[in-house]
Amino acid sequence: MAFEHEPGRYFMQDDTGKLIAEVTYQPIDEGQAVVIDHTFVDPVLRGQGIAGKLVRAVVDEAREKGLLIEPLCSFARHEFETKPEYHDVLRPTKA
C-alpha cells in the first residue's frame, strides 16, 4: 500500500479523488521535531491497519531526517505508547 506524500501529510484517495486516509504533522521546535496532530481513516477501511501504517510513514521520515515526534492526536499517542520501537523518535515531554 503506497501513500501519497506532501509536506506535512501522508494520505490516500480513492479512484474518484475522495480522501480515504490521512495523517498530518507540523514542524515544531524550530524544525527539530514534528507533532502528529491528526489521523483519519474512512470507515470502510477501518480495521486494516492503515492508520498505523500512516503513523509509521511519519516515523520513518523522522528517522531519515533526524527529527523527533510529539504524538498529539489520540491514535498516534496510542501507537507510541504500545510500540517501544518508536521511542527513539519520541520527543520528551516538557514539564
Side-chain angles (χ1 to χ4, degrees):
M1 173 174 307
F3 299 116
E4 295 182 61
H5 180 246
E6 297 175 349
R9 172 180 189 227
Y10 286 92
F11 63 101
M12 287 177 53
Q13 297 176 327
D14 67 12
D15 294 336
T16 68
K18 177 185 171 193
L19 181 68
I20 55 173
E22 175 182 54
V23 63
T24 60
Y25 55 101
Q26 308 302 318
I28 57 172
D29 295 340
E30 298 178 4
Q32 299 301 305
V34 296
V35 58
I36 298 177
D37 55 10
H38 173 72
T39 55
F40 162 76
V41 175
D42 189 277
V44 299
L45 297 175
R46 292 194 182 146
Q48 299 179 35
I50 292 172
K53 291 174 185 173
L54 286 164
V55 170
R56 178 59 188 247
V58 179
V59 168
D60 290 345
E61 180 181 346
R63 285 180 176 144
E64 289 173 17
K65 295 181 175 179
L67 302 174
L68 296 176
I69 298 173
E70 180 173 334
L72 183 61
C73 86
S74 59
F75 181 82
R77 192 168 41 250
H78 174 75
E79 286 291 284
F80 274 78
E81 289 170 354
T82 60
K83 292 190 170 34
E85 63 268 29
Y86 289 177
H87 290 183
D88 63 312
V89 294
L90 180 62
R91 177 179 177 255
T93 52
K94 297 182 179 183

